[in-house]
Amino acid sequence: MSSKSNGKQTYDQKSAARRERLAEARAREVRAEKIRRRVVIGASVAVVVALAGGVAIAVNSGGHSTSASSGSNAPLVVPANTSGTDGTVVTYGKADAAHTLDVYEDFRCPICKKFETTDGQTVQQLADSGTYKIQYHMAAFLDNNLGGKGSITALAAAGAALNQSVDDFKKFHDELYANQPSEETDGYGSVNTILDVAAKVPGLKTDAFVKAVQDGTYLPWAEKVAAAFNSSGVQGTPTMKLDGKALTLFDNAGNPITADQYTALIQQGTGTK
């Protein structure tokens, strides 16, 4: 009798152990699937696509919504110094310049930073000289693709800078790229990080600027700007168009063209070469 009972006990123990192993295996598979999904999402964003012979971060076709915490219910406050019929464009340079350079960017985009590091100073110099005016069209789709709110938070802070002056916007724009954290960390989702970058621009960090950034005053405007980008038909960042014609910003190896090559491209496009 006792022998039969011990046999049954052993069988039950083995069954329980088998069920436990299966449960652990299922749990591991669930964790692995979550990791695979994150990898796929990351890959879908990190992949570079050819765009008019250039390189860009691809816009995720699954949607372009920004962060749920981006202040959609707050009143719309449009910064001073905006341009465009709906106040979603930022124009830098001489308003009467004969040519227009449309620039499409996302502050969280690492390839935008890559181009900015190589050619940003030349892009500005040609605007300062009157060769063209720059019209900035800013995006925030990386928040949707990667999660977080770094793009929209940085864009809203740029709105606070723009409210002070176009020059403050441009200087802050440059510092945001110079100090850009990895897009995967969502570093610009932190207001404190944004304010640390703002401190690098002399005169920018006024009490009004700090309050606007902390209160998210320009978040609804930033959402409107991002929505305008989503409706533009542009498929990736960075994209630049000179008088409506897309420019080739990267070589076949995925490297930004040199400053001299960029200048030559502009000269050819404006007929000044």
Side-chain angles (χ1 to χ4, degrees), residues 28 50 53 56 60 71 95 102 122 127 155 159 175 187 200 205 237 250 252 256 258 267-268:
R28 286 195 299 270
N60 187 326
D102 286 290
T122 305
L155 179 51
E175 288 295 342
K200 298 178 182 295
K205 204 174 173 183
T237 58
F250 295 82
N252 292 334
T258 67
Q267 290 174 339
Q268 181 180 6

mmCIF file of all heavy atoms in Angstrom, residues 28 50 53 56 60 71 95 102 122 127 155 159 175 187 200 205 237 250 252 256 258 267-268:
data_model
loop_
_atom_site.group_PDB
_atom_site.id
_atom_site.type_symbol
_atom_site.label_atom_id
_atom_site.label_comp_id
_atom_site.label_asym_id
_atom_site.label_seq_id
_atom_site.Cartn_x
_atom_site.Cartn_y
_atom_site.Cartn_z
ATOM 1 N N ARG A 28 9.565 32.735 -20.448
ATOM 2 C CA ARG A 28 10.744 33.142 -21.194
ATOM 3 C C ARG A 28 10.386 33.560 -22.610
ATOM 4 O O ARG A 28 10.932 34.506 -23.164
ATOM 5 C CB ARG A 28 11.762 31.993 -21.235
ATOM 6 C CG ARG A 28 12.497 31.773 -19.916
ATOM 7 C CD ARG A 28 13.726 30.891 -20.126
ATOM 8 N NE ARG A 28 13.372 29.573 -20.647
ATOM 9 C CZ ARG A 28 13.099 28.524 -19.874
ATOM 10 N NH1 ARG A 28 13.111 28.644 -18.554
ATOM 11 N NH2 ARG A 28 12.804 27.354 -20.420
ATOM 12 N N ALA A 50 16.837 55.556 -48.811
ATOM 13 C CA ALA A 50 17.269 56.503 -49.836
ATOM 14 C C ALA A 50 16.174 57.517 -50.039
ATOM 15 O O ALA A 50 15.015 57.170 -50.154
ATOM 16 C CB ALA A 50 17.548 55.753 -51.143
ATOM 17 N N GLY A 53 18.342 60.482 -53.267
ATOM 18 C CA GLY A 53 19.776 60.264 -53.307
ATOM 19 C C GLY A 53 20.445 60.497 -51.980
ATOM 20 O O GLY A 53 21.650 60.339 -51.839
ATOM 21 N N ALA A 56 17.949 59.357 -44.775
ATOM 22 C CA ALA A 56 17.041 59.964 -43.802
ATOM 23 C C ALA A 56 16.510 58.918 -42.850
ATOM 24 O O ALA A 56 16.482 57.740 -43.166
ATOM 25 C CB ALA A 56 15.866 60.628 -44.521
ATOM 26 N N ASN A 60 7.648 56.401 -39.601
ATOM 27 C CA ASN A 60 6.892 55.172 -39.397
ATOM 28 C C ASN A 60 5.490 55.357 -39.953
ATOM 29 O O ASN A 60 4.766 56.262 -39.563
ATOM 30 C CB ASN A 60 6.810 54.867 -37.894
ATOM 31 C CG ASN A 60 6.196 53.512 -37.603
ATOM 32 O OD1 ASN A 60 5.315 53.059 -38.315
ATOM 33 N ND2 ASN A 60 6.676 52.884 -36.556
ATOM 34 N N GLY A 71 0.145 67.710 -23.737
ATOM 35 C CA GLY A 71 -0.640 68.900 -23.474
ATOM 36 C C GLY A 71 -1.709 69.205 -24.487
ATOM 37 O O GLY A 71 -1.984 70.377 -24.773
ATOM 38 N N ALA A 95 14.129 87.969 -45.223
ATOM 39 C CA ALA A 95 12.796 87.652 -45.744
ATOM 40 C C ALA A 95 12.696 87.832 -47.246
ATOM 41 O O ALA A 95 11.907 87.145 -47.917
ATOM 42 C CB ALA A 95 11.746 88.520 -45.038
ATOM 43 N N ASP A 102 13.876 74.910 -47.689
ATOM 44 C CA ASP A 102 12.970 74.283 -46.719
ATOM 45 C C ASP A 102 13.707 73.133 -46.041
ATOM 46 O O ASP A 102 14.229 72.234 -46.711
ATOM 47 C CB ASP A 102 11.707 73.772 -47.418
ATOM 48 C CG ASP A 102 10.779 74.912 -47.814
ATOM 49 O OD1 ASP A 102 10.193 75.529 -46.899
ATOM 50 O OD2 ASP A 102 10.656 75.192 -49.019
ATOM 51 N N THR A 122 27.763 75.825 -42.550
ATOM 52 C CA THR A 122 27.697 76.303 -43.936
ATOM 53 C C THR A 122 26.266 76.631 -44.335
ATOM 54 O O THR A 122 26.020 77.633 -45.028
ATOM 55 C CB THR A 122 28.278 75.246 -44.893
ATOM 56 O OG1 THR A 122 29.597 74.922 -44.476
ATOM 57 C CG2 THR A 122 28.310 75.754 -46.316
ATOM 58 N N ALA A 127 22.662 81.348 -45.524
ATOM 59 C CA ALA A 127 21.467 82.117 -45.187
ATOM 60 C C ALA A 127 21.857 83.524 -44.732
ATOM 61 O O ALA A 127 21.239 84.517 -45.121
ATOM 62 C CB ALA A 127 20.679 81.405 -44.094
ATOM 63 N N LEU A 155 10.821 70.512 -29.125
ATOM 64 C CA LEU A 155 10.169 71.416 -30.068
ATOM 65 C C LEU A 155 9.398 72.506 -29.332
ATOM 66 O O LEU A 155 9.424 73.679 -29.720
ATOM 67 C CB LEU A 155 9.242 70.625 -30.993
ATOM 68 C CG LEU A 155 8.440 71.408 -32.036
ATOM 69 C CD1 LEU A 155 9.335 72.334 -32.844
ATOM 70 C CD2 LEU A 155 7.698 70.434 -32.955
ATOM 71 N N GLY A 159 9.969 76.566 -29.265
ATOM 72 C CA GLY A 159 8.925 77.580 -29.400
ATOM 73 C C GLY A 159 9.109 78.700 -28.392
ATOM 74 O O GLY A 159 8.893 79.878 -28.701
ATOM 75 N N GLU A 175 22.305 74.136 -30.491
ATOM 76 C CA GLU A 175 22.739 73.503 -29.247
ATOM 77 C C GLU A 175 21.987 72.192 -28.998
ATOM 78 O O GLU A 175 22.557 71.236 -28.450
ATOM 79 C CB GLU A 175 22.547 74.451 -28.060
ATOM 80 C CG GLU A 175 23.525 75.615 -28.022
ATOM 81 C CD GLU A 175 24.971 75.179 -27.817
ATOM 82 O OE1 GLU A 175 25.220 74.038 -27.373
ATOM 83 O OE2 GLU A 175 25.863 76.000 -28.098
ATOM 84 N N GLY A 187 16.314 61.413 -23.868
ATOM 85 C CA GLY A 187 16.884 62.393 -22.956
ATOM 86 C C GLY A 187 16.184 63.734 -22.959
ATOM 87 O O GLY A 187 16.053 64.383 -21.918
ATOM 88 N N LYS A 200 23.345 76.953 -22.336
ATOM 89 C CA LYS A 200 24.521 77.118 -23.196
ATOM 90 C C LYS A 200 24.342 78.252 -24.197
ATOM 91 O O LYS A 200 25.296 78.641 -24.883
ATOM 92 C CB LYS A 200 24.807 75.802 -23.945
ATOM 93 C CG LYS A 200 25.139 74.627 -23.023
ATOM 94 C CD LYS A 200 25.356 73.339 -23.827
ATOM 95 C CE LYS A 200 25.631 72.160 -22.911
ATOM 96 N NZ LYS A 200 26.891 72.295 -22.167
ATOM 97 N N LYS A 205 18.059 81.816 -21.313
ATOM 98 C CA LYS A 205 17.379 81.255 -20.144
ATOM 99 C C LYS A 205 16.825 82.358 -19.231
ATOM 100 O O LYS A 205 17.219 82.507 -18.079
ATOM 101 C CB LYS A 205 18.326 80.338 -19.383
ATOM 102 C CG LYS A 205 17.636 79.293 -18.534
ATOM 103 C CD LYS A 205 18.644 78.338 -17.939
ATOM 104 C CE LYS A 205 17.992 77.384 -16.951
ATOM 105 N NZ LYS A 205 18.978 76.483 -16.317
ATOM 106 N N THR A 237 13.637 62.456 -42.201
ATOM 107 C CA THR A 237 14.470 63.580 -41.795
ATOM 108 C C THR A 237 15.921 63.130 -41.727
ATOM 109 O O THR A 237 16.195 61.975 -41.381
ATOM 110 C CB THR A 237 14.041 64.116 -40.417
ATOM 111 O OG1 THR A 237 14.109 63.058 -39.443
ATOM 112 C CG2 THR A 237 12.622 64.671 -40.460
ATOM 113 N N PHE A 250 23.580 63.257 -48.704
ATOM 114 C CA PHE A 250 24.490 62.198 -48.273
ATOM 115 C C PHE A 250 25.074 61.472 -49.489
ATOM 116 O O PHE A 250 24.424 61.380 -50.536
ATOM 117 C CB PHE A 250 23.753 61.197 -47.370
ATOM 118 C CG PHE A 250 23.292 61.801 -46.063
ATOM 119 C CD1 PHE A 250 22.127 62.540 -45.987
ATOM 120 C CD2 PHE A 250 24.034 61.621 -44.906
ATOM 121 C CE1 PHE A 250 21.704 63.098 -44.796
ATOM 122 C CE2 PHE A 250 23.623 62.173 -43.703
ATOM 123 C CZ PHE A 250 22.456 62.917 -43.645
ATOM 124 N N ASN A 252 26.921 57.920 -51.227
ATOM 125 C CA ASN A 252 26.470 56.530 -51.317
ATOM 126 C C ASN A 252 26.822 55.704 -50.086
ATOM 127 O O ASN A 252 26.215 54.665 -49.836
ATOM 128 C CB ASN A 252 27.066 55.865 -52.568
ATOM 129 C CG ASN A 252 26.497 56.440 -53.844
ATOM 130 O OD1 ASN A 252 25.379 56.952 -53.864
ATOM 131 N ND2 ASN A 252 27.266 56.388 -54.936
ATOM 132 N N PRO A 256 27.410 62.481 -44.718
ATOM 133 C CA PRO A 256 26.996 63.798 -45.205
ATOM 134 C C PRO A 256 27.979 64.326 -46.239
ATOM 135 O O PRO A 256 29.187 64.099 -46.134
ATOM 136 C CB PRO A 256 27.017 64.668 -43.939
ATOM 137 C CG PRO A 256 26.923 63.711 -42.797
ATOM 138 C CD PRO A 256 27.627 62.473 -43.257
ATOM 139 N N THR A 258 30.337 67.036 -47.990
ATOM 140 C CA THR A 258 31.204 68.011 -47.345
ATOM 141 C C THR A 258 30.615 69.412 -47.465
ATOM 142 O O THR A 258 29.708 69.661 -48.280
ATOM 143 C CB THR A 258 32.599 68.004 -47.974
ATOM 144 O OG1 THR A 258 32.504 68.492 -49.330
ATOM 145 C CG2 THR A 258 33.201 66.597 -47.973
ATOM 146 N N GLN A 267 25.058 76.537 -55.127
ATOM 147 C CA GLN A 267 25.429 77.413 -56.242
ATOM 148 C C GLN A 267 24.822 76.924 -57.556
ATOM 149 O O GLN A 267 24.341 77.737 -58.368
ATOM 150 C CB GLN A 267 26.952 77.497 -56.366
ATOM 151 C CG GLN A 267 27.613 78.271 -55.237
ATOM 152 C CD GLN A 267 29.123 78.234 -55.296
ATOM 153 O OE1 GLN A 267 29.711 77.341 -55.926
ATOM 154 N NE2 GLN A 267 29.780 79.180 -54.641
ATOM 155 N N GLN A 268 24.826 75.614 -57.731
ATOM 156 C CA GLN A 268 24.236 75.063 -58.939
ATOM 157 C C GLN A 268 22.727 75.295 -58.956
ATOM 158 O O GLN A 268 22.154 75.668 -59.992
ATOM 159 C CB GLN A 268 24.523 73.565 -58.997
ATOM 160 C CG GLN A 268 23.974 72.872 -60.238
ATOM 161 C CD GLN A 268 24.272 71.384 -60.248
ATOM 162 O OE1 GLN A 268 24.801 70.836 -59.282
ATOM 163 N NE2 GLN A 268 23.969 70.729 -61.348
#
